[in-house]
Amino acid sequence: MNHGKPVFELHPDDPRVKALASADPRMGRLIALIGSLATKPQGPWFTELARSIISQQISVKAASTIRGRVIELAGELSPAALLAQSDADLRAAGLSASKVAYLKDLSDKVQSGQLDLDRLQELDDEEVIKLLVSVKGIGRWSAEMFLIFALGREHVVSYGDAGLQRAAKWVYDMEERPDRKYLQQAAAQWPSYGSIASLYLWESINRGHVDSGETFNERLASFGIQTD
């Protein structure tokens, strides 16, 4: 397990990044705009899955507060520690009844060996997703985020991610589509490294480019990068 360091540390000279830029010139210009990027270091995989459940449908600040209270109560985010807590105490820490059930289900499946986290790296992407979504409260999107940010899988495109759809529409200057499938249209140009393309699209939002009020080409020009 690759704990404590980013699973992706990307720069324009990375062979994977260069291959993506060569296959898709517009993505290449986005890479030139962004430059280097790195994902956040990950903790133990169980902790990351528990954090994902706690964070669902609430703000980052609220999730951080509740996570802190749960850790204060249980001592750590581990299967044994969470299973040792009563539902009432976990509710008092700020978790909804459904999230208490989800965390207990995750803890039970990991502790019983039904979900062997140490084996996930040996499985292909769809096998990992199938195992993770068997846990209550973990859907396909959460499983895809785990594949990218925890396991470092390089060929994942999360088509259900609204931010990626929005960034793809901006980068590729797409007309409005009733089906909102901008990402599917863009990803057709990536023979591989869909995760890396996704990281650059997310970063274009994080750095304020997508919401700058400029088109992609205008944004490139303002940074002195050649456009189409």
Side-chain angles (χ1 to χ4, degrees), residues 1-174:
M1 299 186 190
N2 186 20
H3 303 326
K5 59 180 288 190
V7 294
F8 285 105
E9 294 181 272
L10 302 171
H11 52 83
D13 290 328
D14 185 307
R16 300 168 297 177
V17 175
K18 290 174 80 170
L20 188 61
S22 176
D24 180 355
R26 190 162 277 242
M27 177 57 65
R29 286 190 280 278
L30 177 63
I31 290 163
L33 177 63
I34 299 294
S36 299
L37 66 87
T39 56
K40 291 180 181 177
Q42 297 286 292
W45 291 345
F46 177 86
T47 302
E48 292 305 322
L49 291 171
R51 285 168 63 110
S52 172
I53 289 171
I54 292 168
S55 301
Q56 288 172 6
Q57 298 179 321
I58 57 176
S59 71
V60 172
K61 185 178 180 183
S64 178
T65 299
I66 294 169
R67 190 168 64 248
R69 288 183 193 149
V70 172
I71 292 170
E72 188 177 344
L73 171 69
E76 61 179 353
L77 290 180
S78 71
L82 290 174
L83 288 170
Q85 310 310 312
S86 71
D87 290 6
D89 284 346
L90 288 168
R91 289 290 309 276
L95 292 169
S96 65
S98 58
K99 287 184 181 179
V100 171
Y102 299 160
L103 286 171
K104 291 279 182 92
D105 187 57
L106 171 65
S107 300
D108 187 56
K109 284 185 166 70
V110 171
Q111 186 154 285
S112 68
Q114 188 176 338
L115 175 58
D116 185 351
L117 297 179
D118 292 332
R119 281 195 59 244
L120 292 183
Q121 196 66 276
E122 303 166 19
L123 306 177
D124 69 30
D125 293 351
E126 285 301 323
E127 288 173 326
V128 173
I129 289 171
K130 185 178 179 181
L131 270 177
L132 291 180
V133 301
S134 73
V135 177
K136 293 175 184 174
I138 296 180
R140 186 176 181 92
W141 180 85
S142 296
E144 289 168 340
M145 296 305 104
F146 186 83
L147 282 172
I148 296 170
F149 292 99
L151 298 185
R153 298 294 172 87
E154 296 176 336
H155 308 298
V156 179
V157 180
S158 184
Y159 292 109
D161 190 281
L164 288 179
Q165 295 285 5
R166 184 160 62 93
K169 181 178 186 290
W170 180 75
V171 169
Y172 293 87
D173 193 25
M174 294 176 183

Side-chain angles (χ1 to χ4, degrees), residues 27 30 141 144-145 157-188 190 194 197-205 210-211:
M27 177 57 65
L30 177 63
W141 180 85
E144 289 168 340
M145 296 305 104
V157 180
S158 184
Y159 292 109
D161 190 281
L164 288 179
Q165 295 285 5
R166 184 160 62 93
K169 181 178 186 290
W170 180 75
V171 169
Y172 293 87
D173 193 25
M174 294 176 183
E175 299 290 328
E176 288 285 342
R177 293 179 57 135
D179 61 10
R180 310 291 295 171
K181 290 186 175 180
Y182 308 108
L183 186 59
Q184 286 85 335
Q185 189 177 331
W190 312 328
S198 298
L199 290 170
Y200 277 99
L201 289 172
W202 276 315
E203 193 67 10
S204 69
I205 297 174
V210 173
D211 299 312

